[in-house]
Amino acid sequence: MSQIDTPERPLRADAARNRAKLINAARAAFASDGTSASLEDIARRARVGIGTLYRHFPSRLDLVEAIYIDEVEALCNSADNSVDLPPWDALVDWLHRFVRYVAAKQALAEELFAHLGEDAEVFRSCRVAVFATGGPLLERAQQAGVVRPDTSFTEVVRMVGGIAKISPAEPEETERILDIALDGLRYRSTSQHR
């Protein structure tokens, strides 16, 4: 996976640790309290001062964007966990991670979208990273003859994104719906359709 383009300069080791602690604390706070969680509570959870939070993230939006990017990078890096699997299994494994990511990060995406708009650099960079990861998984499965050759990764992303946004689906129900949809993605020769 290619890293998401971020214009940050390298941090000292202690500053990098504090930044990681803040991102993890904010992720937990946003998961439990939504994106309106108190910045003071996030600093407290990270066990740093509020000044440290503001040095790394001058605004709440900067913090939301950092978490969003961190989550996309984790999703893209997770493809490495599937590298030894057969092509179909690798694609399905990653798409299950992708549907969980989309379902869990909707609030972050909505907040960024509301403030930055659909064409913001963060969304463009993240789309490029997702396509650079998932596209080759789809192509590998197509080349192995286990996925319909007439399917694009854009179509797969739209399908998975739509499934992830089904409301009010329980995570297990969402995973089952994805499995049903993925069954339609499998390649079957015309003789199998008769």
Side-chain angles (χ1 to χ4, degrees):
M1 187 215 78
S2 59
Q3 285 289 76
I4 296 170
D5 185 27
T6 53
E8 298 173 4
R9 64 178 194 267
L11 298 173
R12 295 185 331 257
D14 61 332
R17 278 191 301 275
N18 285 340
R19 187 177 193 286
K21 289 189 327 190
L22 285 162
I23 287 174
N24 289 332
R27 183 181 293 117
F30 291 164
S32 65
D33 304 330
T35 56
S36 62
S38 154
L39 294 180
E40 290 78 11
D41 180 50
I42 292 169
R44 197 172 20 262
R45 285 180 187 229
R47 297 186 177 170
V48 300
I50 192 70
T52 299
L53 184 146
Y54 282 115
R55 260 193 309 281
H56 288 282
F57 307 105
S59 72
R60 174 183 301 280
L61 193 60
D62 292 323
L63 183 56
V64 170
E65 185 174 329
I67 294 167
Y68 186 82
I69 290 170
D70 190 64
E71 292 293 328
V72 171
E73 287 179 342
L75 170 68
C76 293
N77 290 333
S78 75
D80 294 342
N81 298 335
S82 309
V83 74
D84 294 329
L85 296 175
W88 173 256
D89 295 337
L91 177 64
V92 168
D93 181 63
W94 190 78
L95 289 174
H96 273 277
R97 292 172 202 264
F98 185 56
V99 80
R100 288 189 297 268
Y101 159 79
V102 172
K105 301 307 166 209
Q106 284 185 67
L108 293 176
E110 288 168 7
E111 181 154 338
L112 288 172
F113 181 82
H115 289 90
L116 303 175
E118 181 180 351
D119 293 329
E121 179 58 34
V122 64
F123 291 131
R124 284 194 302 272
S125 295
C126 289
R127 264 192 299 273
V128 166
V130 166
F131 274 69
T133 301
L137 290 171
L138 177 66
E139 290 169 15
R140 180 176 167 235
Q142 287 172 322
Q143 289 169 358
V146 294
V147 169
R148 296 170 54 138
D150 63 341
T151 304
S152 72
F153 189 66
T154 298
E155 293 168 327
V156 173
V157 166
R158 287 180 181 152
M159 176 183 73
V160 174
I163 291 168
K165 294 176 183 176
I166 293 174
S167 173
E170 294 296 319
E172 298 80 23
E173 184 181 3
T174 302
E175 300 277 336
R176 174 152 166 66
I177 293 168
L178 177 62
D179 283 334
I180 292 167
L182 290 176
D183 191 46
L185 190 62
R186 278 187 182 269
Y187 176 74
R188 289 175 179 78
S189 69
T190 52
S191 63
Q192 290 176 311
H193 290 298
R194 293 180 189 157

